């Protein structure tokens, strides 16, 4: 079974600075997908960024980028120029084929607070 | 925001009550999911439906009964719940369960069982 570990329950960063959230996972599959989801306080969970394991290039979405290390099974999220609106719970998630279903396995989350 | 709506947003019920949670997606997706989100625990997948057929039941107690009448609607019927069932219940959808697509989540129903 796949597992996803987020070792930082809480983090804080000053506005405009850069922060990196850690995620490691365990799987025996070779083809899979990794996601970072963001859940702001009392708001819907939304996708931040997604990475296909077969792609060596790290995914980037504006201020959000990942450092995907397949051999180390590591998938960290870097947020540049942090903004107050980035304050949220961030979940790392893994999706493998698992038969006919691509199910998501989530980590416990990291609560990020951006301070003014 | 994401095309997935859930009602009610908040629900308080006694252990002997029967209630239902509703999820609706307006994205043209065919796969729908129920998750349970408890404090300090990872999201737990409960059920998966693909083209109205249940394809996954993650050992969920029978006091939770899902229903998927069509690809746009998903219900979770609740009866004789326990206080430990208090949690945020999230619905999600994606194109089909057999593709590695992004899941889109609803805002959740905050359930409190007294």
């Amino acid at each position: 079974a796949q597992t996803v570990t987020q070792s930082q329950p809480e983090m804080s960063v000053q506005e405009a600075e850069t922060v990196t959230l850690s995620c490691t996972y365990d799987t025996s599959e070779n083809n899979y997908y990794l996601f970072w989801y963001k859940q702001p306080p009392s708001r819907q969970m939304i996708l931040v960024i997604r990475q296909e394991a077969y792609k060596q290039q790290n995914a980037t979405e504006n201020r959000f980028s990942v450092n995907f290390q397949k051999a180390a099974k590591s998938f960290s999220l870097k947020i540049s120029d942090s903004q107050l609106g980035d304050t949220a719970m961030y979940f790392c998630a893994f999706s493998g084929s698992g038969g006919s279903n691509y199910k998501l396995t989530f980590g416990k989350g990291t609560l990020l607070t951006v301070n003014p | 925001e994401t095309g997935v709506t859930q009602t009610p947003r908040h629900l308080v019920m006694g252990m002997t009550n029967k209630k239902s949670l509703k999820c609706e997606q307006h994205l043209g997706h065919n796969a729908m999911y129920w998750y349970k989100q408890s404090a300090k625990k990872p999201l737990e997948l409960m059920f998966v439906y693909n083209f109205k057929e249940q394809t996954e039941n993650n050992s969920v107690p029978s006091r939770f009964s899902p229903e998927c009448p069509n690809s746009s609607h998903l219900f979770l019927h609740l009866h004789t719940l326990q206080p430990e069932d208090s949690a945020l219940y999230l619905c999600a959808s994606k194109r089909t369960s057999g593709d590695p697509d992004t899941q889109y989540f609803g805002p959740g129903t905050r359930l409190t069982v007294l």
Side-chain angles (χ1 to χ4, degrees):
Chain A
Q2 291 88 3
T3 58
V4 177
T5 302
Q6 293 180 251
S7 59
Q8 305 149 316
E10 294 186 36
M11 293 190 72
S12 63
V13 64
Q14 292 299 122
E15 197 174 5
E17 293 189 348
T18 295
V19 64
T20 298
L21 309 184
S22 302
C23 173
T24 58
Y25 58 93
D26 189 26
T27 183
S28 58
E29 297 189 40
N30 190 49
N31 206 18
Y32 50 87
Y33 301 80
L34 296 162
F35 304 82
W36 278 98
Y37 279 88
K38 167 186 176 181
Q39 188 178 37
S42 302
R43 294 183 64 188
Q44 283 167 269
M45 184 142 27
I46 58 173
L47 179 71
V48 175
I49 199 164
R50 157 193 170 126
Q51 174 84 41
E52 290 85 358
Y54 62 86
K55 289 186 178 178
Q56 292 186 342
Q57 187 172 5
N58 288 326
T60 300
E61 286 288 341
N62 300 315
R63 298 182 295 108
F64 299 87
S65 61
V66 299
N67 183 4
F68 173 48
Q69 301 290 328
K70 191 172 183 180
K73 295 181 181 174
S74 171
F75 183 61
S76 61
L77 175 69
K78 185 171 85 170
I79 306 175
S80 304
D81 186 25
S82 298
Q83 300 175 0
L84 296 179
D86 295 333
T87 292
M89 197 75 168
Y90 286 82
F91 293 95
C92 178
F94 171 101
S95 176
S97 58
S100 60
N101 282 326
Y102 278 89
K103 299 184 292 184
L104 283 175
T105 300
F106 286 87
K108 289 186 178 181
T110 297
L111 178 61
L112 176 67
T113 302
V114 180
N115 298 309
Chain B
E1 289 178 5
T2 63
V4 181
T5 59
Q6 289 186 244
T7 54
R9 295 294 306 273
H10 300 272
L11 178 63
V12 179
M13 59 187 289
M15 292 167 60
T16 58
N17 292 156
K18 288 186 181 180
K19 297 287 184 183
S20 295
L21 310 185
K22 179 182 176 182
C23 174
E24 184 172 0
Q25 57 92 4
H26 311 274
L27 301 169
H29 291 165
N30 294 298
M32 297 189 77
Y33 302 76
W34 278 118
Y35 289 89
K36 176 182 179 183
Q37 186 177 22
S38 305
K40 309 217 184 279
K41 292 176 68 175
L43 271 75
E44 301 171 58
L45 177 65
M46 300 175 72
F47 301 103
V48 180
Y49 278 83
N50 196 41
F51 291 95
K52 303 188 298 178
E53 299 298 320
Q54 187 181 112
T55 57
E56 184 103 9
N57 176 339
N58 199 23
S59 303
V60 180
S62 60
R63 57 185 184 270
F64 294 91
S65 175
E67 178 190 1
C68 189
N70 54 62
S71 292
S72 299
H73 294 86
L74 184 65
F75 295 90
L76 189 62
H77 304 299
L78 316 171
H79 61 99
T80 60
L81 293 192
Q82 305 297 312
E84 59 265 29
D85 296 323
S86 298
L88 182 67
Y89 287 85
L90 294 171
C91 174
S93 73
K94 70 172 184 174
R95 201 159 47 185
T96 67
S97 67
D99 292 319
D101 300 318
T102 299
Q103 288 187 25
Y104 292 85
F105 286 82
T109 295
R110 174 70 62 188
L111 174 67
T112 303
V113 181
L114 301 176

